[in-house]
Amino acid sequence: MTIIPYSSKWDPDIAALLDASMGPGRYARTAERLREGNQQIDAYCFLMLTEDSALRASISFWPLRIGSTFALLLGPLAVRPIDQGKGYGQSLMGHALNVIDADADYPIILVGDLPYYQRAGFQVASADIRLPGPVDPKRLLLRGSASERQPLAGLVRPAPMPAL
């Protein structure tokens, strides 16, 4: 398994992977509202390749604010349908989270399935955190020791990345 940093040359392959693994309905989701007009943080985005250098999985992170607190949005995390359930997504996410944790102590949110993301330290977020659209509160997940020191509350919105 090979993990490489994101490069825009992979954008067509990433788009095809997202179509195959998530379908076109992903554009209607509330998390997509946080990506519109926002710019992913390339230093935190990674790709996993197969043995023959085809795209197997991708992960991206986006800058935002929860109230007045800077945070990250994880997603999408996508794995080729043929490779799902083999641990590739967990490995790629673990790699990305290690890079982020080495840089800063940002809370990270996502909309996803708790049993999958709980293995990476995510838990159901407080009801005091609000997204700019409908979301099942049991699927709004949060990770980060920063959130344990300071309760997070407020509307989640895109924000520029602070200098590292």
Side-chain angles (χ1 to χ4, degrees), residues 35-107:
R35 291 188 279 271
E36 288 175 342
N38 200 347
Q39 185 169 345
Q40 73 181 15
I41 305 166
D42 291 350
Y44 297 158
C45 300
F46 295 92
L47 310 172
M48 181 181 285
L49 306 181
T50 64
E51 294 75 20
D52 60 351
S53 298
L55 183 61
R56 172 174 277 146
S58 70
I59 191 168
S60 60
F61 290 84
W62 304 77
L64 48 79
R65 289 206 174 277
I66 301 171
S68 62
T69 303
F70 181 81
L72 301 175
L73 171 69
L74 185 163
L77 168 60
V79 178
R80 291 187 319 178
I82 194 170
D83 288 325
Q84 291 176 0
K86 298 177 181 176
Y88 295 126
Q90 288 287 331
S91 294
L92 184 60
M93 180 173 44
H95 175 83
L97 292 173
N98 285 338
V99 169
I100 292 167
D101 290 347
D103 276 353
D105 189 19
Y106 298 132

Side-chain angles (χ1 to χ4, degrees), residues 6 18 33 49 51 75 119 139 156:
Y6 165 80
L18 294 173
R33 305 294 72 80
L49 306 181
E51 294 75 20
R119 293 180 269 175
R139 292 179 49 79
V156 177

Side-chain angles (χ1 to χ4, degrees), residues 135-150:
V135 66
D136 179 348
K138 291 180 242 138
R139 292 179 49 79
L140 180 58
L141 308 180
L142 176 69
R143 174 190 181 266
S145 58
S147 65
E148 295 165 8
R149 289 194 307 273
Q150 168 186 332

